[in-house]
Amino acid sequence: MSAAPPPASKAGHSAAIDSAIDVLISSQGHASPARLERACALLRRRSPLHWVEREGVRPFWAVMRYADIVSIETRSREFAAGPRTYLASETAEAVLQRVTGKPQLVRGLTEMDPPDHGVYRAIIQAAFAPPALRAMETWLAQWAAEIVDRVAAHGDACDFAVDVALPFTFRVIGRMLGTPEADDARLARLAQAFVGAEDPKRRLAESPGDTMRTAMLALRDYFEAVVADRRAQPRDDLASLIAHAAPHGAAMPHYELISYFILLVTAGHDTTALALAGGLAALLAAPEQMARLRAEPELLDPAIEEMLRWTSPVRHFMRTAVRDTEVAGQRIREGDALALFFHSANRDEAVFEDAGAFRIDRSPNPHIAFGRGPHICMGLQLARMQMRALFAELLRRTERIELAGRVRRVRSPFMSGVSSLPVRMSFRALRNEAAA
C-alpha cells in the first residue's frame, strides 16, 4: 500500500462528501439511481479526485470527472490495469487470495498490461472485427425475432431483463464460443454471480467472497472440459482458438486460459443485457422519447448510444500508478490505486449538455461506456449490433410496451443496471400473420 497522500488532497472534506463516498462504494447505494447520481454530482463539483480511506477497503483515489478518467485511460505507461481491477473489501480479497494464491481471482484481458495485453487480445480480435461481425447480422436479426416470438407465445407479459435481454445476449456469446444453448442458463447464472456477488439475488453462497469462489470453480471445471474437447477435436469457434492459442510462442498457462473464458462469458453478455434492460427502462420512464423513436426509427442508432451513456453497465475499473505522476494537478504517488467511475464521467456536465436528461437524439455523444484507450472493450461493435437487432424487432413487432411491476436494479458497486423489468407488450398483427 502506498503512503497516505498529503493533506492538500483532502481539500473540501465534509460530512456531505463522506456520505457521497459511502453511496459510491456501497452495493446498496447503487440500487438507487437518483441517490447515486446526487452523490456523483456532489463529488464532481466539490472533490472530483478524492482520496478514500474506509475501514475494510484498501485506500484509493475516486476519480469522478470525464477529462481525468480519459487522461488516465490513455496514459497506460503511467497507470497499470493490475493488480487491483475493481473495488473489493479486504475480506473478499483475502478469500480470493486463498483460492488462487494470486492478487486477482482471474487474470484476463482486463487485468493485463503490456506486453501480455496486446498478445492475448490478438488471439480472438479478428472475431470482433467488421468482416466477422457483418457475417453475423442476418443471424442476429433472426435470433431477435425468435426471442420476441418466444415472449409472444406466452402472452403479453414478461420480465424483459430475465426473459429477453439475458437469454438473447448469452446465446450470442455462447454461439461464438461454441457452447450448447442447453448450457446457457447455468453458465449465465454462474457468470452473473461472479461479477455481481454483492447482490443477494445473484449469490450462490452466504458471502460475496464465497459466491465468487463458488462461481469461479464451477466455471473453471466447465471450461476445462471444453478445452480438453477442443484440443482433441478443434472446431470453428472461439473456444478452439483459445484452447490452441500460443501467446509468446508457448501454450497459454492454465490460470490465464480459464480466465480468458470467464472474461468472455461475463463481459460478453452481462453488460449488454444490462444496457438492453436499462435502455428499455429509460424509454418507459420517458414516454415522449419512446414515442419519438417509434415515429422516427432512423434515430435508433443515436438512441442506442444514449442508452449506453445512460446505463454505463460497468460502473468502474481500477488503475494503479506505476510511477509518481499527476492527474489534474494532484500528485499521485507510485502504487496509488485509482477507481475510475465511468458512470459519473458519462453524466459530467462539463461534457454533456443537459447531462441528467435521457435524449435519444443526443449529438455529439462521446460517452465512455466501453472505456477508452488500450483497454477499450473489444466487443463494443457487437454490443451495438445486438442492441440494434433487438430494439429494431421490438419496435417492429409491438404497438405498445408498458411497465407492469417494480423495477429492480443490480446491487453492486461494479456492475450497474436493471435486473428485473416486468413489462406488458401489445403485439401488432403483421401482414403475413394477417394473411394467414
Side-chain angles (χ1 to χ4, degrees):
M1 182 185 300
S2 63
S9 69
K10 298 186 179 182
H13 186 81
S14 71
I17 289 176
D18 275 347
S19 178
I21 291 294
D22 288 340
V23 170
L24 189 69
I25 66 176
S26 161
S27 59
Q28 291 187 345
H30 286 238
S32 170
R35 180 171 53 184
L36 180 62
E37 294 314 323
R38 287 194 299 270
C40 291
L42 174 70
L43 290 168
R44 284 195 302 271
R45 289 194 309 270
R46 295 181 54 184
S47 192
L49 190 61
H50 190 82
W51 182 252
V52 179
E53 294 180 357
R54 286 289 187 278
E55 185 177 354
V57 179
R58 288 189 289 154
F60 66 95
W61 291 98
V63 189
M64 309 303 297
R65 290 189 305 203
Y66 183 100
D68 298 338
I69 290 176
V70 169
S71 172
I72 293 166
E73 284 288 74
T74 53
R75 293 157 61 187
S76 57
R77 292 185 179 181
E78 297 175 68
F79 298 98
R84 293 175 76 180
T85 309
Y86 56 89
L87 284 172
S89 69
E90 290 180 300
T91 300
E93 288 181 338
V95 170
L96 304 183
Q97 180 76 23
R98 289 198 301 270
V99 174
T100 65
K102 300 178 185 293
Q104 306 124 328
L105 184 58
V106 294
R107 185 172 183 262
L109 293 175
T110 53
E111 290 81 22
M112 289 182 178
D113 293 297
D116 285 346
H117 180 258
V119 173
Y120 277 74
R121 187 176 174 111
I123 292 169
I124 62 170
Q125 189 146 18
F128 294 90
L133 295 180
R134 282 195 294 271
M136 291 184 63
E137 284 182 334
T138 299
W139 176 81
L140 266 177
Q142 293 170 345
W143 176 224
E146 182 176 337
I147 204 80
V148 174
D149 282 343
R150 293 182 185 182
V151 172
H154 289 87
D156 61 353
C158 73
D159 186 324
F160 183 82
V162 175
D163 302 325
V164 180
L166 176 60
F168 178 72
T169 56
F170 201 91
R171 177 77 315 246
V172 175
I173 194 62
R175 182 177 186 265
M176 294 179 74
L177 276 168
T179 57
E181 187 174 355
D183 293 348
D184 283 2
R186 174 171 174 258
L187 288 175
R189 172 74 173 131
L190 293 172
Q192 290 194 322
F194 184 82
V195 296
E198 299 89 348
D199 191 331
K201 292 188 177 298
R202 288 189 170 200
R203 283 186 196 162
L204 305 175
E206 185 174 348
S207 71
D210 287 340
T211 289
M212 292 183 71
R213 176 183 180 274
T214 299
M216 186 274 286
L217 294 176
L219 289 168
R220 180 202 64 187
D221 292 346
Y222 181 89
F223 285 111
E224 281 180 342
V226 170
V227 168
D229 175 76
R230 296 307 195 275
R231 285 177 174 170
Q233 300 180 29
R235 307 178 196 174
D236 184 19
D237 57 29
L238 293 186
S240 296
L241 281 178
I242 299 166
H244 290 270
H248 305 301
M252 196 184 302
H254 182 266
Y255 182 48
E256 282 75 8
L257 178 68
I258 300 305
S259 296
Y260 215 125
F261 283 101
I262 291 176
L263 173 67
L264 284 175
V265 296
T266 53
H269 91 281
D270 205 13
T271 51
T272 308
L274 290 170
L276 282 165
L280 181 57
L283 287 170
L284 295 178
E288 76 286 353
Q289 296 294 302
M290 174 69 95
R292 186 175 179 193
L293 185 57
R294 287 190 181 280
E296 303 175 58
E298 65 274 13
L299 289 177
L300 181 55
D301 282 345
I304 287 169
E305 297 306 311
E306 181 69 343
M307 293 176 200
L308 290 165
R309 181 189 78 90
W310 193 255
T311 58
S312 296
V314 176
R315 290 289 193 189
H316 77 274
F317 270 117
M318 298 195 77
R319 301 290 180 251
T320 300
V322 299
R323 62 174 67 96
D324 287 354
T325 185
E326 287 190 0
V327 175
Q330 171 62 53
R331 182 186 179 191
I332 306 295
R333 298 183 179 186
E334 179 182 349
D336 281 356
L338 305 96
L340 316 182
F341 288 95
F342 299 111
H343 66 292
S344 176
N346 283 335
R347 302 292 179 93
D348 192 333
E349 302 84 353
V351 178
F352 302 95
E353 181 183 356
D354 198 13
F358 178 78
R359 296 185 350 207
I360 64 169
D361 64 349
R362 183 177 296 277
S363 180
N365 191 350
H367 68 78
I368 52 173
F370 295 114
R372 186 66 65 85
H375 281 87
I376 193 169
C377 177
M378 185 160 44
L380 76 175
Q381 294 303 340
L382 178 61
R384 288 177 169 121
M385 287 172 59
Q386 291 178 73
M387 295 179 73
R388 186 181 306 120
L390 186 55
F391 274 107
E393 185 66 14
L394 285 172
L395 293 171
R396 185 179 76 91
R397 295 281 297 279
T398 63
E399 292 181 341
R400 187 173 63 258
I401 304 176
E402 298 174 334
L403 190 62
R406 179 184 174 188
V407 178
R408 296 182 183 272
R409 302 183 66 84
V410 177
R411 293 191 176 189
S412 167
F414 180 59
M415 300 297 294
S416 162
V418 172
S419 60
S420 180
L421 183 65
V423 298
R424 185 169 291 106
M425 301 186 188
S426 175
F427 293 95
R428 60 167 51 104
L430 302 179
R431 290 183 179 178
N432 59 340
E433 294 171 346

